[in-house]
Amino acid sequence: MAKQYIALVDCDCFFVSAERAFNPSLEGKAVAVLSNNDGCVVSRSKEAKALGLKMGEPYFMAKHSHPDILYVRANHELYQKISNKVMNRLKSFTDEVEVCSVDEAFVLLTGLKRLYKKNYIEIAKMIRESLYRELKIPVSIGISSTKTLAKLASDKAKSCGGIYVIGNAKKNKVLSQTLITDVSGVGRKIAEQMRAECIFTALDFVSRPDYWIKANFHKHGMDLKNELNGISLFKVEKEHKSPISIQQTSALKEFSSDIEILRKDLIEHIRKASQKARSENVKAGVIEVMLRDKNFRVITQKTKLNIATNQEMEIIPIALKELDKIYSPMVVWRSVGITLSNLIYGDILQNDLFNSSPKSNEKLGKVLDELENKFGKDIIKIGKSDKKKVPSA
């Protein structure tokens, strides 16, 4: 197999960078972006990091310990728009782009030397300069022969001028300096097993013989070893990957035991999840309602739908009943959410012989989507009304 050259483009402090792109007056200032409803810090500028602000620090603590930092409430709609612009700009250089998240994408560089008449470092520099010049988004770019090494290189790039290459000459040195817990694909359970076997760095791991890795970590372990050794197993996948589930949740504005507040938030999450499902052309066969209390204890209630759907008008009444099953007025709740799973793709579904409402609900869902596309998000609010009997005369 011909050697691949893969770049991981990672937007630096993306939420803060997006806020600065939208509001240039924030440039050079210590800025932190807060999670929904001002829960905790989810993004920090380098100036805020230098002041000692920690990622995930609760806002009520941070505003007292670091009062000189400017705190901004997250605007995920803005971040998604800017992310789309970043990804589209990357795709203008090559169509071999795999979008990993809102702020990361793999780019296959193989073959671009001939097109641009530049080496791979010069191409990375061209991409980096273009993203900042046109979108004001700074990025770090890591280059190597595999996705796993490109990810490690992008982490290095953040402190090495924005571009870092891991080739054969420096691979082992980098692996010796990399904690195994910092390697993509090493989860908590695997990391604990590795520590028990005295594996602390990436080099410790790749130095173990194949038979031992196969016996202890099976195929996943061998794939990881090959990737770290520069043998590319995972291609840059430019095709859109459909989700296996859709989840919507966020913290309440204030902790609450009020069922009506929980219902209102749940309905809003269902609306957003249903809209996402329609955009992906999927329908859910199972819904799961989640409640999280102030101590982060999670309670869920799952139910299988008779007919898969992506219509909020069909999901809401079922979800509210499931919410009632797990709700307790004696508990203080911090968040509520919905997960749509057992997704069915396309339009091939078994219809309900005795229910003609799905078609009308689909038309309504389409209208809601069209209204939001035309007039903006949250133009329509879905509420819950309790039908009361009219007193007889």
Side-chain angles (χ1 to χ4, degrees), residues 260-272:
E260 291 306 322
I261 290 177
L262 296 174
R263 286 172 177 165
K264 180 181 177 182
D265 266 39
L266 179 59
I267 288 172
E268 180 62 15
H269 294 322
I270 293 170
R271 184 186 68 82
K272 291 179 179 178

Side-chain angles (χ1 to χ4, degrees), residues 296-311:
F296 293 93
R297 183 174 63 101
V298 175
I299 303 175
T300 61
Q301 181 70 27
K302 186 182 294 187
T303 185
K304 184 177 181 180
L305 304 177
N306 292 329
I307 300 177
T309 184
N310 55 19
Q311 303 301 317

Side-chain angles (χ1 to χ4, degrees), residues 208-379:
R208 296 296 177 97
D210 288 357
Y211 73 85
W212 186 88
I213 290 179
K214 289 177 182 177
N216 288 276
F217 299 100
H218 314 295
K219 182 180 184 300
H220 177 71
M222 281 305 303
D223 288 348
L224 184 61
K225 178 177 179 178
N226 285 325
E227 281 271 316
L228 289 172
N229 276 331
I231 302 171
S232 180
L233 299 180
F234 306 113
K235 297 179 181 179
V236 173
E237 303 284 353
K238 62 180 180 179
E239 295 84 4
H240 172 70
K241 293 182 179 179
S242 297
I244 59 175
S245 66
I246 296 172
Q247 184 182 64
Q248 284 288 337
T249 184
S250 66
L252 303 172
K253 291 182 179 179
E254 294 182 0
F255 295 173
S256 178
S257 297
D258 189 336
I259 185 64
E260 291 306 322
I261 290 177
L262 296 174
R263 286 172 177 165
K264 180 181 177 182
D265 266 39
L266 179 59
I267 288 172
E268 180 62 15
H269 294 322
I270 293 170
R271 184 186 68 82
K272 291 179 179 178
S274 298
Q275 191 174 49
K276 173 67 173 176
R278 289 193 291 271
S279 72
E280 297 284 352
N281 194 25
V282 298
K283 297 185 179 182
V286 172
I287 64 170
E288 183 174 17
V289 175
M290 179 279 296
L291 277 176
R292 181 180 286 110
D293 69 15
K294 67 175 184 178
N295 297 317
F296 293 93
R297 183 174 63 101
V298 175
I299 303 175
T300 61
Q301 181 70 27
K302 186 182 294 187
T303 185
K304 184 177 181 180
L305 304 177
N306 292 329
I307 300 177
T309 184
N310 55 19
Q311 303 301 317
E312 47 266 69
M313 295 305 182
E314 297 169 12
I315 296 173
I316 287 172
I318 299 172
L320 292 179
K321 289 180 180 178
E322 300 307 308
L323 174 65
D324 290 339
K325 293 178 183 178
I326 57 177
Y327 164 77
S328 170
M330 306 302 293
V331 177
V332 179
W333 304 102
R334 69 183 301 129
S335 62
V336 63
I338 188 77
T339 299
L340 310 182
S341 59
N342 282 35
L343 302 182
I344 299 173
Y345 298 83
D347 300 319
I348 303 175
L349 289 171
Q350 182 177 355
N351 292 321
D352 187 346
L353 184 62
F354 303 103
N355 186 0
S356 60
S357 63
K359 286 188 176 181
S360 60
N361 284 332
E362 288 182 8
K363 291 180 181 178
L364 178 58
K366 184 177 180 181
V367 170
L368 293 176
D369 293 345
E370 290 174 350
L371 286 172
E372 288 213 344
N373 289 335
K374 185 174 182 180
F375 297 106
K377 288 188 178 298
D378 300 325
I379 191 67

Side-chain angles (χ1 to χ4, degrees), residues 117-134:
K117 295 181 172 52
K118 300 175 183 289
N119 63 39
Y120 293 126
I121 295 178
E122 291 170 336
I123 293 171
K125 184 178 179 181
M126 177 178 65
I127 291 172
R128 190 167 182 266
E129 291 175 347
S130 172
L131 289 172
Y132 191 77
R133 181 178 62 253
E134 298 178 23

